């Protein structure tokens, strides 16, 4: 873990909150009031879409000393490359549905408790993944995960929250079919028939599924697995091991670890990038070690961060 020396609370921040998230609009006023009370100068980013996030960060560089983003994994990931380029530290307010990056970093799942973490000023460096140049903190995947993303409409997430993931997963599984893919690492290429290929930079994705049992977001490499099961019923038997990251023990699961991968398919397939369908195959996936600085909790003061309380502001919503 790359913990940075000294605690430096932010004094001038760029505040980006996804007001389209179910709790985003109500969260903004409360967070802004807390920042004002703490004497933090706030610059609000005017972002109409997720594509506006990176330009807003680049524009603010030099006039702020931190970026605070309230939203889900998809919203936060859009900032990745701009954060890497500017060196601005990231404060995270969990306002999404899955909040897998929050889970990986063991941050509080309450926005006001998460703001306390930011104001305490403790920082660490984490890796960033890119797929065809698009940033991700958690996982880039194709196959079942992309099918799930198609089934998981924003309306389903807003109405049902995490239950919406289960509903979408059942729909995706009912249509699941294997496809041919070629995975290249260095000079070696492997052909496979698979239902899903996932490449993880972080630890969790899909609302708490582990990409690998020993995955970490600051280890300087990517964890890949290919789900080569041919029977959906067999897949049902494997589900529990995916939650713990022990799925690699099944012979139907191919695993690899590296810093770069290339993946090709016969026909272009959509790629799920931290919950959003952003690009398609062929893809080049790369890890950027220690690329982004984030505010984190102090394990000695609060070893069970995610149990931390707060004002009770809601945390479920869109990405």
């Amino acid at each position: 873990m790359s913990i940075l020396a000294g605690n430096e609370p932010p004094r001038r921040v760029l505040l980006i909150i996804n007001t389209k998230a179910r709790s985003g609009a109500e969260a903004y006023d409360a967070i802004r009031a807390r920042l004002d009370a703490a004497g933090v100068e706030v610059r609000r980013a005017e972002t109409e879409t997720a594509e506006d996030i990176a330009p807003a960060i680049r524009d603010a560089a030099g006039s702020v000393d931190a970026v605070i983003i309230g939203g889900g994994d998809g919203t936060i990931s859009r900032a990745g490359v701009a954060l890497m380029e500017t060196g601005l530290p990231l404060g995270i307010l969990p306002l999404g549905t899955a909040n897998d990056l929050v889970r990986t970093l063991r941050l509080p799942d309450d926005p006001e408790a998460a703001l306390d973490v930011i104001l305490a000023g403790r920082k660490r460096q984490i890796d960033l993944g890119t797929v065809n140049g698009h940033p991700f903190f958690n996982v880039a995947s194709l196959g079942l995960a992309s099918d799930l993303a198609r089934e998981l409409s924003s309306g389903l997430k807003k109405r049902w929250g995490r239950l919406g993931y289960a509903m979408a997963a059942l729909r995706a599984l009912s249509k699941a079919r294997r496809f041919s893919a070629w995975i290249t690492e260095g000079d070696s290429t492997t052909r496979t028939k698979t239902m899903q290929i996932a490449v993880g930079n972080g630890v969790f994705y899909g609302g708490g599924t582990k990409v690998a049992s020993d995955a970490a977001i600051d280890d300087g490499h990517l964890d890949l697995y290919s789900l080569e099961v041919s029977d959906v019923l067999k897949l049902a038997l494997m589900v529990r091991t995916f939650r713990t990251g022990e799925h690699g023990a099944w012979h139907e699961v191919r695993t690899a670890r590296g810093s770069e991968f290339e993946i090709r398919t016969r026909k272009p397939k959509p790629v799920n990038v931290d919950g959003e369908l952003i690009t398609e195959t062929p893809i080049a996936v790369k890890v950027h070690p220690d690329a982004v600085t984030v505010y984190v909790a102090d394990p000695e003061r609060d070893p069970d961060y995610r149990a931390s309380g707060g004002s009770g502001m809601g945390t479920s919503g869109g990405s």
Side-chain angles (χ1 to χ4, degrees):
M1 180 185 298
S2 303
I3 296 293
L4 301 180
N7 294 348
E8 300 179 31
R11 291 300 169 211
R12 299 173 300 160
V13 304
L14 177 68
L15 180 60
I16 303 172
I17 290 185
N18 179 8
T19 55
K20 293 180 181 178
R22 184 165 60 182
S23 55
E26 63 187 75
Y28 176 80
D29 292 337
I31 294 299
R32 178 63 189 263
R34 285 281 313 280
L35 289 169
D36 289 342
V40 178
E41 180 182 330
V42 178
R43 171 174 170 174
R44 182 177 182 178
E46 299 298 331
T47 55
E48 295 294 328
T49 67
E51 287 75 16
D52 297 331
I53 292 174
I57 292 172
R58 294 185 181 104
D59 288 345
S63 62
V64 300
D65 53 31
V67 177
I68 297 177
I69 300 180
D73 293 307
T75 298
I76 295 167
S77 288
R78 295 298 184 100
V81 171
L83 292 169
M84 179 171 62
E85 292 172 350
T86 62
L88 289 169
L90 169 66
I92 300 170
L93 303 176
L95 295 174
T97 304
N99 295 320
D100 283 306
L101 180 58
V102 166
R103 185 177 285 105
T104 290
L105 296 175
R106 299 179 65 194
L107 292 170
D109 55 12
D110 175 86
E112 288 211 29
L115 183 57
D116 289 336
V117 169
I118 297 168
L119 294 176
R122 188 172 187 267
K123 299 187 288 287
R124 66 180 278 199
Q125 291 177 309
I126 62 173
D127 302 340
L128 178 70
T130 54
V131 51
N132 288 353
H134 300 283
F136 68 97
F137 285 108
N138 303 323
V139 169
S141 56
L142 58 146
L144 274 175
S146 295
D147 296 339
L148 188 151
R150 274 200 299 261
E151 297 288 347
L152 189 63
S153 65
S154 59
L156 191 63
K157 285 197 290 186
K158 284 190 175 183
R159 181 175 182 182
W160 297 104
R162 291 184 182 178
L163 179 59
Y165 277 84
M167 296 166 66
L170 288 174
R171 294 178 188 173
L173 280 171
S174 69
K175 305 173 185 177
R177 299 291 184 274
R178 293 202 301 174
F179 58 92
S180 296
W182 289 260
I183 303 169
T184 299
E185 181 187 3
D187 296 328
S188 175
T189 297
T190 301
R191 180 185 177 184
T192 181
K193 293 279 285 186
T194 182
M195 281 193 177
Q196 172 164 296
I197 299 173
V199 184
N201 171 69
V203 179
F204 295 101
Y205 71 105
T209 299
K210 269 191 167 184
V211 68
S213 60
D214 58 349
I217 199 168
D218 58 0
D219 56 10
H221 62 244
L222 303 166
D223 291 286
L224 176 149
Y225 77 79
S226 172
L227 179 58
E228 297 169 8
V229 62
S230 58
D231 186 347
V232 173
L233 293 178
K234 181 67 174 289
L235 179 58
L237 297 175
M238 302 166 66
V239 167
R240 181 172 294 183
T241 60
F242 279 91
R243 300 298 290 182
T244 61
E246 297 170 340
H247 45 276
W250 292 82
H251 73 268
E252 294 93 344
V253 179
R254 183 189 307 273
T255 62
R257 179 166 283 175
S259 59
E260 295 185 41
F261 294 100
E262 294 181 3
I263 301 171
R264 295 182 293 111
T265 53
R266 290 190 185 279
K267 297 180 180 179
K269 293 188 71 68
V271 178
N272 183 333
V273 183
D274 280 353
E276 307 288 341
L277 298 177
I278 293 177
T279 188
E280 62 182 20
T281 56
I283 57 174
V285 194
K286 181 178 181 179
V287 66
H288 305 265
D290 292 341
V292 175
T293 301
V294 294
Y295 290 98
V296 293
D298 186 341
E300 294 184 2
R301 291 182 56 188
D302 187 0
D304 188 13
Y305 321 138
R306 290 183 57 78
S308 297
S311 68
M313 292 168 55
T315 60
S316 59
S319 63

